């Protein structure tokens, strides 16, 4: 089952995107052909420098020894009866939102972008995809202000007094000075803009551009899960943002039926999807124990437990998706390889902070790999091993 | 003193009896009515320093709750806009979504629930949106002779939208100089303000040809920079300063997202071949450029350089009017107008860095209209009874063009969106016929009664990609009015009025999708008209020594159209903007009755030697059925949105007509408004917990030398108080100087 899902996901999100550049030279897409040549080969030219020997065998990640923590919320195990969490609407295993989150529309737009670019890598296709990205209140509107809340907050001394404390990444000077914290405007949005611009102008390899766009949006979604659920949700007027975390993760869909980032996770491991939903459900349960119009207590042990559970599951989900891409890289050539590696290099940046927080040594291995434009199979094997060590369990 | 009073009364009487055509005609806001002789500005020596009330402009309907702001007061107040000129008038409260926009609230209602007329031509069109709008701002206050506010429902006379009341603007007239050949009066106006670094002016020339043809042409320009305020207001809910909006500059006083440029030009030609006929041609053009919408510059959580700007806000009005006086008894006075008005808006939403996206919307409303207004002679039924009838008909037809374009500026590629803010090609017709009978008994009791038969139609094609429904609706309705007024003594009248109002849903209600203050609003193509009933009672005193008006009112509105929160699942399919928004609203007809109670009043006291006192106070309280009352924890009724707080002004001044000098001090005040509608609580413009109260002090002074020179100055907000009008994005101007110099001959 895993294998089928994995293939489906891979070829929907990357293989299909790359097919134009790799094999379709009848469409008059000069840019694609040019880009492919410039990058060292296409599927028709398997001798491109990006090809990896395929005999390397990567063992699947073994999660058989993983067990829920004592503080985890486990609605899918005996209806949460055995865990420390009080009774909650989500005990039936279904996520019950306070309100249907608007974030789901952004995830749907992400799915639409994937669908458009899977079918059309021409400049016109990118324009259509960018329209989805730039919708009013759409992905772009949030990307340009998204914070990576795992990095330290901007020091008060650098706050713009005219701007709320939790919106300091809307200030350009802070974006420049604190690019890690202000990941959305400093890192993610520029990647997406550059890729769209090049693709719309017909420059470079469109499959690579598509991969970068896809990976950057997935990175944004991954960051948004934890940001909305643990950073915004406790606030009085933003209690519904717990649901936004759910919306960003899977488009506010049921377990196993998610789109966007969740589809990537499900494609590799439905169990990991379950664990992320559990974490999201935990945050909702914690928030429901406070009135919606009051700030919730973030020193509450349940908040800490839910946050840690969701953070671990979310990181693991991202890690296994990244691992899967790394593994695929070993079998890809030409433009497909370029696109896939661009995806890895882009999305992987989101995992650097939790990696560094977990183990500096493995983190440096991961960082080195992500900075390597032409990795050897051994490099990738090393990267996968580091990921497995860093994020072993959901 | 008695002699002085008698002289003044005699002067009023003599002016009232002066033959038409010999005294200067006061511009008439209700052109249906016979032109009234006006009190002259250059009163005789006796009255100059004793009876300044003689020069006060009179309301067009004497037995209604109304106030008039004349040219003299406009010159003294130096308003930043036409709505600004009405601040402090009883029952009026001005909200500003941006520096270049302002919307008068009349008895707690604004925008599409009030109606605006300019020289008898209806300005409301089918895109007037729910809540405050900027369109009264598009009347150049320098081209206005008088502004009249009729409070309370008034649809019999003024048609659809007159639920909260009517705003009547009357333009300045060319000079007529009988028995002279060609006389030219040029005039220049220079204006400056420190709070927003305003610089501007107007040039105008009035030409009189043989006293029969009058022409006045004018053009003005002004540029306003960022508006400096007194600082941040304190949020009643938290006791902490409000952060946004507006965004403040480094000095914590200068409001970003303010400033604009404005160009106006107008021409008015009046031909009076004799005392019976009058032909008017009017052209009034208003062009506002680069006016940011303060609460969207940036939106609450967006990058600091994101901004929604009204690049162009134009309104062009062209009309012709023919008036006939001293006609047959059944139509002693008749006025026929034919008008065309074009309203154009170009909005650009520039996304914040690092976005390279711009969303541009363009809307054009072409409105053609005609109106017939007539008045019979006053029939003498008995020595103690007279009777007259006013009647008329009007028809306005709107055609709407609307589109929206997404542009990626880095590649210079634009994509046409499936629909604009409105459904392109929509049509709207509003029309009606009305009549009002009035009688006066024993020179002391006046009765009036009337009604309007109205027909309104809306048509728009569907837009399938965004699941925008087609609209094909017609509404036929009737409203009535009645009133009684009794003169207790010559100068004191008690009145009781019952007026119905109605507002048919317009194209904004039926077809628009837009980000509004509290969130995303989408259309409802199935709305019904809202109907109001306004009861008011009060007293009006017009004594030589004082003017007093005091009214209590109760307005009830059936089928009130209000925003209600919507769940994500209720968004139209295909409307991603709706689905992605944090707060979603749809307009609905509320069940049951919405009600607004209130009281308002004004007092002017005229002392000898030109001293005067003035005070006004206004209060309104409103609630309606909660559209979400079926949900848990929801009350049955909730406050209506943005009902103004208790507010008023106090003014003390002195004016010497002999020396042409005046000076006055004004206190403007408002209590906190903490009674909020659900949508107010998520409206970034309203601080947490409501809008704090304020007390602001202004000083005014000036000098007038006949018609040649006028120098006026206002020292505004002397205490540099931080204050905000409820529902506004911008805070009020901080301490500063407004100055105007007029000179001509």
């Amino acid at each position: 089952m895993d294998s089928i899902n994995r293939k489906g996901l891979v070829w929907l999100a990357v293989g299909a995107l790359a097919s134009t550049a790799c094999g379709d030279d009848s469409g008059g897409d000069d840019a694609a052909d040019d880009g492919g040549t410039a990058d060292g080969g296409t599927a028709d030219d398997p001798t491109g420098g990006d090809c990896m020997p395929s005999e390397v065998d990567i063992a699947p990640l073994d999660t058989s020894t993983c067990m829920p923590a004592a503080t985890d919320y486990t609605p899918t195990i005996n209806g949460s009866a055995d865990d420390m969490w009080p009774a909650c609407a989500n005990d039936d295993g279904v996520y019950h939102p306070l309100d249907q989150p608007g974030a789901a529309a952004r995830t749907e737009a992400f799915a639409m972008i994937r669908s458009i670019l899977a079918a059309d890598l021409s400049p016109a296709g990118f324009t259509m995809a960018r329209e989805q990205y730039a919708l009013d209140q759409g992905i772009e509107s949030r990307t340009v202000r998204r914070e990576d809340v795992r990095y330290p907050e901007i020091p008060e001394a650098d706050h713009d007094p005219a701007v709320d404390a939790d919106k300091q990444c809307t200030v350009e000077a802070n974006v420049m000075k604190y690019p890690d914290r202000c990941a959305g405007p400093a890192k993610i949005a520029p990647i997406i803009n550059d890729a769209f611009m090049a693709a719309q102008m017909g420059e470079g390899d469109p499959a690579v551009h598509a991969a970068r766009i896809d990976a950057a949006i997935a990175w944004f979604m991954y960051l948004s899960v934890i940001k909305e659920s643990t950073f915004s949700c406790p606030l009085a007027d933003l209690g519904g943002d717990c649901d936004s975390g759910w919306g960003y993760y899977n488009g506010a869909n049921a377990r196993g039926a998610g789109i966007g980032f969740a589809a990537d996770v499900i494609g590799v491991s439905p169990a990991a999807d379950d664990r992320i939903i559990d974490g999201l459900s935990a945050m909702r349960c914690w928030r429901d124990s406070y009135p919606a119009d009051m700030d919730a207590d973030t020193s509450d042990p349940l908040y800490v437990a839910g946050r840690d559970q969701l953070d671990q599951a979310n990181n693991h989900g991202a890690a296994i998706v990244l691992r899967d891409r790394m593994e695929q890289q070993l079998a890809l050539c030409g433009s497909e390889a370029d696109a896939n590696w661009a995806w890895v290099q882009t999305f992987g940046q989101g995992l650097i902070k939790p990696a560094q927080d977990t183990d500096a040594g493995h983190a440096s291995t991961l960082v080195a790999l992500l900075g390597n434009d032409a990795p050897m199979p051994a490099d990738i094997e090393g990267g996968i091993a580091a990921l497995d060590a860093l994020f072993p369990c959901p | 003193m008695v002699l002085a009073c008698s002289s003044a009364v005699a002067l009023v009487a003599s002016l009232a009896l002066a033959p038409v055509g010999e005294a200067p005609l006061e511009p008439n806001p209700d052109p249906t009515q016979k032109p009234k002789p006006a009190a002259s500005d250059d009163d005789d020596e006796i009255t100059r320093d004793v009876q300044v009330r003689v020069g006060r402009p009179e309301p067009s309907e004497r037995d209604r709750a109304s106030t008039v702001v004349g040219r003299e007061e406009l010159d003294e107040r130096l308003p930043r806009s036409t709505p600004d000129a009405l601040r402090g008038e009883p029952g009026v409260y001005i909200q500003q979504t941006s520096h270049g926009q302002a919307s008068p609230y009349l008895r707690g209602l604004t925008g599409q629930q009030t109606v605006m007329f300019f020289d008898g031509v209806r300005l409301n069109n089918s895109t007037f949106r729910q809540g405050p709008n900027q369109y009264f701002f598009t009347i150049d206050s320098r081209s206005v002779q008088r502004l009249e506010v009729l409070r309370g429902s008034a649809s019999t006379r003024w048609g659809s939208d007159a639920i909260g009341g009517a705003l009547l603007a009357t333009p300045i007239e060319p000079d007529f100089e009988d028995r002279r050949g060609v006389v030219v009066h040029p005039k220049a106006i220079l204006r400056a303000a420190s709070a927003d670094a305003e610089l501007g002016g107007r040039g105008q020339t009035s030409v009189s040809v043989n006293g029969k043809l009058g022409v006045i042409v004018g053009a003005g320009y002004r540029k306003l920079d960022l508006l400096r305020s007194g600082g941040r207001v304190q949020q009643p809910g938290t006791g902490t300063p409000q952060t946004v909006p507006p965004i403040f500059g480094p000095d914590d006083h200068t409001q970003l997202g303010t400033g604009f440029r404005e160009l106006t030009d107008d021409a008015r030609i009046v031909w009076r071949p004799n005392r019976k006929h009058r032909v008017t041609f009017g052209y009034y053009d208003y062009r506002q450029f680069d006016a940011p919408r303060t609460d969207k510059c940036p939106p609450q959580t967006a990058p600091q350089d994101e901004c929604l700007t009204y690049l162009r806000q134009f309104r062009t009005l062209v009309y012709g009017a023919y008036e006939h006086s001293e006609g047959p008894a059944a139509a002693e006075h008749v006025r026929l107008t034919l008008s065309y008005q074009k309203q154009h808006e170009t909005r650009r939403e520039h996304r914040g860095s690092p976005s390279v996206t711009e969303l541009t919307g363009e809307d054009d409303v072409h409105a053609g209209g005609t109106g017939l207004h007539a008045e019979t002679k006053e029939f003498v039924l008995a020595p103690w009874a007279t009777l007259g009838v006013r009647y008329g008909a009007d028809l306005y037809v709107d055609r709407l063009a609307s589109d929206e374009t997404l542009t990626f500026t880095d590649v210079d590629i634009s994509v046409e969106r499936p629909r604009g803010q409105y459904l392109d090609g929509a049509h709207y017709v509003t029309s009606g016929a009305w009549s009002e009978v009035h009688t006066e008994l024993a020179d002391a009791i006046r009765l009036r009664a009337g009604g309007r038969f109205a027909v309104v139609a809306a048509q728009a094609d569907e837009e399938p990609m965004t699941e925008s429904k087609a609209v094909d609706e017609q509404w036929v309705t009737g409203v009535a009015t009645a009133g009684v007024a009794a003169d207790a003594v010559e100068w004191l009248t008690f009145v009781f009025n019952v007026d119905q109002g109605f507002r048919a849903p317009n194209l904004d209600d039926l077809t628009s999708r837009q980000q509004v203050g509290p969130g995303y609003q989408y259309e409802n193509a199935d709305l019904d008209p809202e109907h109001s009933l306004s009861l008011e009672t009060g007293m009006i005193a017009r004594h030589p020594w004082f003017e007093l008006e005091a009214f209590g009112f109760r307005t009830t509105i059936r089928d009130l159209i209000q925003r209600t929160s919507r769940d994500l699942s209720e968004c139209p399919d295909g409307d991603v903007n709706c689905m992605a928004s944090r707060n979603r609203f749809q307009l609905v007809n509320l069940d049951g009755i919405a009600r607004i109670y209130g009281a308002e009043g004004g007092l002017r006291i005229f002392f000898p030697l030109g001293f005067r006192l003035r005070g006004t106070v206004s209060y309104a309280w409103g609630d309606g059925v909660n559209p979400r009352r079926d949900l848990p924890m929801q009350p049955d009724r909730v406050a209506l949105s943005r009902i103004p707080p208790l507010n008023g002004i106090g003014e003390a001044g002195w004016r010497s007509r002999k020396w042409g000098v005046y000076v006055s001090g004004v206190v403007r005040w408002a209590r906190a408004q903490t009674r909020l509608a659900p949508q107010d609580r998520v409206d970034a413009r309203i601080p947490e917990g409501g809008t704090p109260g304020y007390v602001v002090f202004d000083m005014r002074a000036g000098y007038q030398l006949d018609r040649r020179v006028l120098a006026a100055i206002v020292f505004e907000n002397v205490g540099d108080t931080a204050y905000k009008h409820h529902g506004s994005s911008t805070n009020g101007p901080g301490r500063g100087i407004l100055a105007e110099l007029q000179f001509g001959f």
Side-chain angles (χ1 to χ4, degrees):
Chain A
M1 191 63 171
D2 281 6
S3 169
I4 292 169
N5 283 339
R6 181 186 306 178
K7 285 179 182 172
L9 177 73
V10 167
W11 295 110
L12 173 67
V14 174
L17 302 184
S19 62
T20 304
C22 288
D24 182 8
D25 58 359
S26 62
D29 189 345
D30 296 339
D33 292 344
D34 290 345
T37 303
D39 286 335
T42 68
D44 294 335
D45 179 13
T47 58
D50 296 320
C51 280
M52 297 284 175
S54 58
E55 63 268 17
V56 175
D57 187 28
I58 304 293
L61 176 64
D62 180 11
T63 59
S64 59
T65 58
C66 294
M67 296 291 289
T71 57
D72 281 0
Y73 175 60
T74 55
T76 55
I77 301 173
N78 198 19
S80 177
D82 303 330
D83 63 32
M84 60 175 262
W85 289 72
C88 170
N90 294 339
D91 288 349
D92 60 2
V94 177
Y95 187 94
H96 294 277
L98 179 70
D99 191 11
Q100 285 296 313
R106 289 172 210 117
T107 307
E108 287 170 14
F110 181 26
M112 181 65 77
I113 290 170
R114 285 182 159 176
S115 174
I116 291 169
L117 294 182
D120 184 1
L121 285 179
S122 71
F126 278 95
T127 297
M128 285 175 60
R130 196 172 195 180
E131 194 182 345
Q132 292 294 316
Y133 171 67
L135 286 170
D136 195 21
Q137 301 296 315
I139 300 169
E140 182 184 51
S141 71
R142 300 305 192 269
T143 306
V144 296
R145 70 185 199 219
R146 179 60 70 239
E147 297 186 31
D148 187 340
V149 295
R150 300 161 310 177
Y151 284 96
E153 290 189 33
I154 295 169
E156 203 164 327
D158 284 333
H159 278 198
D160 183 333
V163 179
D164 284 347
D166 63 342
K167 301 181 184 72
Q168 290 295 321
C169 279
T170 62
V171 179
E172 193 167 5
N174 286 333
V175 173
M176 304 289 285
K177 192 170 181 181
Y178 301 100
D180 289 332
R181 176 76 185 194
C182 303
K187 297 176 181 175
I188 299 174
I191 291 172
I192 296 171
N193 283 343
D194 290 348
F196 269 125
M197 183 174 72
Q200 286 177 287
M201 296 179 72
E203 296 171 354
D205 184 344
V208 172
H209 299 319
R212 287 205 174 106
I213 291 164
D214 187 281
I217 296 176
W219 176 9
F220 159 77
M221 297 289 175
Y222 154 69
L223 291 189
S224 299
V225 171
I226 203 73
K227 185 264 176 188
E228 299 290 345
S229 298
T230 67
F231 189 72
S232 305
C233 174
L235 303 176
D237 56 342
L238 299 173
D241 280 6
C242 287
D243 305 324
S244 295
W246 176 52
Y248 279 121
Y249 173 61
N250 74 355
N253 287 301
R255 290 172 188 268
I259 58 174
F261 174 48
D264 295 355
V265 174
I266 295 166
V268 181
S269 167
D273 173 64
D274 270 339
R275 289 289 291 156
I276 295 174
I277 301 275
D278 288 351
L280 290 163
S281 300
M283 296 308 296
R284 179 75 267 163
C285 289
W286 162 76
R287 192 65 181 82
D288 284 346
S289 64
Y290 294 88
D293 58 353
M294 287 176 57
D295 284 349
D297 180 9
T298 53
S299 64
D300 183 339
L302 285 183
Y303 170 80
V304 177
R307 180 198 63 193
D308 292 348
Q309 178 182 354
L310 176 60
D311 193 35
Q312 177 174 324
N314 194 40
N315 289 337
H316 177 79
I320 61 172
V321 170
L322 186 65
R323 181 188 198 278
D324 187 58
R325 294 291 187 136
M326 289 180 177
E327 194 176 343
Q328 290 172 47
Q329 186 69 18
L330 297 169
L332 296 175
C333 291
S335 177
E336 281 182 298
D338 294 340
N340 189 63
W341 194 245
W343 200 100
V344 169
Q345 289 182 301
T346 303
F347 183 80
Q349 294 176 61
L351 277 165
I352 290 174
K353 175 60 176 167
Q356 290 171 334
D357 289 346
T358 305
D359 184 303
H362 289 311
S364 65
T365 301
L366 180 62
V367 170
L369 179 62
L370 296 176
N372 187 344
D373 291 335
M376 299 303 291
D379 299 325
I380 292 177
E381 280 187 277
I384 289 175
L387 274 178
D388 291 350
L390 288 163
F391 309 105
C393 290
Chain B
M1 197 62 70
V2 174
L3 282 174
C5 285
S6 302
S7 301
V9 173
L11 176 63
V12 173
S14 65
L15 288 171
L17 294 171
V20 174
E22 292 192 11
L25 283 175
E26 182 188 31
N28 189 353
D30 182 356
T32 309
Q33 298 185 48
K34 298 166 191 172
K36 291 181 290 190
S40 168
D41 277 343
D42 46 340
D43 312 315
D44 70 18
E45 195 70 25
I46 296 173
T47 58
R48 273 179 186 158
D49 286 335
V50 180
Q51 295 302 330
V52 291
R53 196 182 103 65
V54 171
R56 294 274 310 134
E58 297 290 330
S60 59
E61 296 188 38
R62 60 185 289 196
D63 296 327
R64 284 203 56 138
S66 63
T67 52
V68 179
V69 178
R71 188 66 249 172
E72 184 175 277
E73 285 172 300
L74 290 166
D75 287 337
E76 192 174 313
R77 295 178 187 181
L78 298 184
R80 284 189 165 80
S81 65
T82 300
D84 195 30
L86 298 177
R87 288 192 197 280
E89 293 300 311
V92 182
Y93 196 75
I94 307 299
Q95 183 269 6
Q96 280 199 269
T97 294
S98 79
H99 193 194
Q101 302 180 341
S103 190
Y105 275 73
L106 307 183
R107 291 186 169 173
L109 299 170
T110 193
Q112 55 184 204
Q113 291 172 316
T114 59
V115 70
M116 307 168 193
F117 276 77
F118 184 86
D119 198 18
V121 177
R122 180 185 174 88
L123 297 189
N124 286 39
N125 65 45
S126 55
T127 64
F128 276 33
R129 60 179 167 275
Q130 218 268 345
N133 66 44
Q134 69 271 37
Y135 304 116
F136 203 56
F137 202 101
T138 64
I139 295 173
D140 180 7
S141 64
R142 296 163 301 182
S143 68
V144 167
Q145 180 65 27
R146 57 178 268 158
L147 297 167
E148 181 169 359
V149 180
L150 291 177
R151 305 190 298 275
S153 299
S155 285
T156 293
R157 173 64 188 83
W158 302 103
S160 180
D161 303 359
I163 289 179
L167 297 157
L168 313 176
T170 305
I172 51 177
E173 290 280 336
D175 296 304
F176 285 94
E177 303 200 16
D178 292 338
R179 294 180 290 276
R180 297 184 67 183
V182 177
V183 183
V184 180
H185 289 295
K187 184 177 186 180
I189 303 172
L190 299 174
R191 181 186 161 96
S194 62
D196 49 15
E198 176 184 347
L199 273 178
R202 171 182 166 88
Q204 84 184 29
T205 299
S206 176
V207 179
S208 171
V209 181
N210 296 325
K212 295 185 183 298
L213 179 67
V215 178
I216 186 166
V217 295
Y221 175 81
R222 61 175 178 154
K223 181 178 184 300
L224 296 83
D225 212 332
L226 299 177
L227 177 64
R228 184 190 171 282
S229 72
R232 297 169 189 272
V233 299
Q234 300 290 314
Q235 306 191 105
T238 63
T240 58
Q242 186 190 16
T243 48
V244 290
I247 296 288
F248 286 90
D251 65 356
D252 225 25
H253 283 67
T254 302
Q255 304 174 87
L256 309 183
T258 53
F260 60 94
R261 292 178 296 123
E262 184 183 273
L263 179 67
T264 62
D265 55 297
D266 48 82
R268 184 174 185 82
I269 303 170
V270 181
W271 180 44
R272 303 188 313 185
N274 55 49
R275 67 182 186 182
K276 290 187 177 179
H277 301 281
R278 177 186 171 104
V279 178
T280 303
F281 169 81
Y283 164 82
Y284 294 87
D285 186 40
Y286 176 91
R287 289 166 187 261
Q288 186 187 71
F289 302 90
D290 303 328
R293 188 175 147 157
T294 308
D295 63 327
K296 301 290 184 190
C297 291
Q300 197 173 11
T301 55
Q304 298 301 292
D305 57 345
E306 184 160 323
C307 191
L308 170 63
T309 304
Y310 284 79
L311 297 178
R312 292 186 287 276
Q313 172 76 58
F314 298 168
R315 188 177 59 78
T316 305
L317 171 65
V318 183
Y319 65 95
Y322 168 70
E323 287 175 80
H324 183 220
S325 300
E326 299 182 31
E332 188 179 54
H333 182 78
V334 175
R335 190 179 201 244
L336 176 68
T337 59
L338 194 61
S339 64
Y340 166 77
Q341 181 175 234
K342 179 183 177 183
Q343 177 186 292
H344 171 84
E345 284 181 16
T346 301
R347 301 173 306 277
R348 185 190 65 198
E349 179 189 329
H350 169 77
R351 300 269 173 81
S353 300
S355 172
V356 291
T357 306
E358 284 184 358
L359 188 65
T360 305
E362 287 202 353
D363 303 315
D364 286 294
V365 186
H366 303 271
T370 184
L372 171 68
H373 309 274
E375 187 171 350
T376 67
K377 66 172 287 188
E378 290 293 312
F379 298 100
V380 179
L381 306 178
W384 46 270
T386 62
L387 182 142
V389 180
R390 296 175 195 156
Y391 57 95
D394 40 58
L395 170 72
Y396 292 87
V397 180
D398 290 7
R399 185 175 64 79
L400 181 54
S402 180
D403 64 60
E404 203 165 84
T405 305
L406 197 62
T407 301
F408 306 112
T409 58
D410 56 350
V411 289
D412 197 22
I413 291 176
S414 295
V415 180
E416 185 103 357
R417 303 288 299 146
R419 54 163 288 170
Q421 182 162 308
Y422 310 98
L423 285 177
D424 188 46
H427 286 78
Y428 193 80
V429 177
T430 181
S431 62
W434 63 278
S435 175
E436 186 178 298
V437 181
H438 57 271
T439 182
E440 182 159 6
L441 309 175
D443 286 336
I445 307 291
R446 288 177 297 283
L447 305 171
R448 64 178 179 85
R452 168 181 283 260
F453 173 76
V455 178
V456 181
Q459 186 276 326
D461 294 333
E462 68 172 345
E463 201 297 301
M465 277 185 70
T466 55
E467 210 186 52
S468 302
K469 287 184 188 173
V471 176
D472 189 5
E473 297 281 353
Q474 297 84 37
W475 301 279
V476 177
T477 191
V479 289
T481 182
V484 57
D487 295 338
V489 291
E490 187 181 0
W491 49 267
L492 177 61
T493 304
F494 292 95
V495 300
F496 177 72
N497 293 315
V498 182
D499 287 284
Q500 288 183 310
F502 80 97
R503 187 181 78 79
N506 65 16
L507 292 176
D508 183 83
D509 304 313
L510 299 165
T511 75
S512 80
R513 294 182 180 181
Q514 55 194 307
Q515 287 291 341
V516 293
Y520 183 82
Q521 177 187 303
Y522 62 95
E523 78 282 3
N524 183 347
D526 300 317
L527 291 168
D528 293 320
E530 47 190 10
H531 289 82
S532 67
L533 176 65
S534 175
L535 306 178
E536 68 178 20
T537 185
M539 67 170 73
I540 300 170
R542 298 191 192 283
H543 188 274
W545 294 102
F546 65 88
E547 284 181 358
L548 169 69
E549 62 156 332
F551 279 89
F553 68 90
R554 175 180 186 268
T555 302
T556 52
I557 307 174
R558 178 166 47 87
D559 294 325
L560 177 70
I561 295 174
Q562 278 273 18
R563 294 181 185 126
T564 187
S565 300
R566 288 299 192 206
D567 293 331
L568 190 69
S569 58
E570 296 171 289
C571 285
D573 283 349
D575 188 353
V576 184
N577 296 342
C578 176
M579 291 185 254
S581 293
R582 182 186 294 276
N583 301 305
R584 298 163 292 275
F585 298 94
Q586 187 180 28
L587 297 174
V588 296
N589 290 108
L590 294 186
D591 292 335
I593 299 289
R595 57 198 181 191
I596 304 174
Y597 302 102
E600 70 240 345
L603 172 66
R604 290 176 192 265
I605 304 175
F606 308 106
F607 294 100
L609 304 176
F611 290 95
R612 69 193 185 207
L613 288 176
R614 180 181 178 231
T616 67
V617 62
S618 306
Y619 175 72
W621 183 97
D623 76 357
V625 172
N626 182 359
R628 299 174 76 80
R629 63 190 179 284
D630 295 335
L631 299 177
M633 311 285 287
Q634 290 283 340
D636 287 341
R637 298 183 72 84
V638 292
L640 296 182
S641 179
R642 287 167 292 195
I643 293 287
L646 176 67
N647 71 95
I649 63 164
E651 183 178 342
W654 168 75
R655 177 185 282 265
S656 167
R657 295 191 178 272
K658 182 176 181 180
W659 299 102
V661 177
Y662 69 86
V663 62
S664 63
V666 182
V667 173
R668 295 177 279 136
W669 60 271
R671 297 264 306 190
Q673 179 53 287
T674 56
R675 193 168 171 274
L676 305 178
Q679 62 171 289
D680 296 343
R681 299 182 193 283
V682 296
D683 191 330
R685 292 171 292 189
I686 298 175
E688 194 169 332
T691 305
Y694 60 82
V695 178
V696 176
F697 181 60
D698 304 327
M699 292 186 68
R700 302 169 183 160
Y703 169 71
Q704 180 156 24
L705 176 63
D706 297 329
R707 64 188 302 162
R708 298 189 196 97
V709 174
L710 170 65
I713 190 166
V714 174
F715 185 17
E716 62 178 338
N717 194 359
V718 175
D720 204 26
T721 304
Y723 73 104
K724 174 182 282 236
H725 295 100
H726 185 54
S728 297
S729 301
T730 54
N731 289 7
R735 181 189 299 124
I737 299 287
L738 290 151
E740 188 166 295
L741 177 64
Q742 302 181 11
F743 51 92
F745 58 87

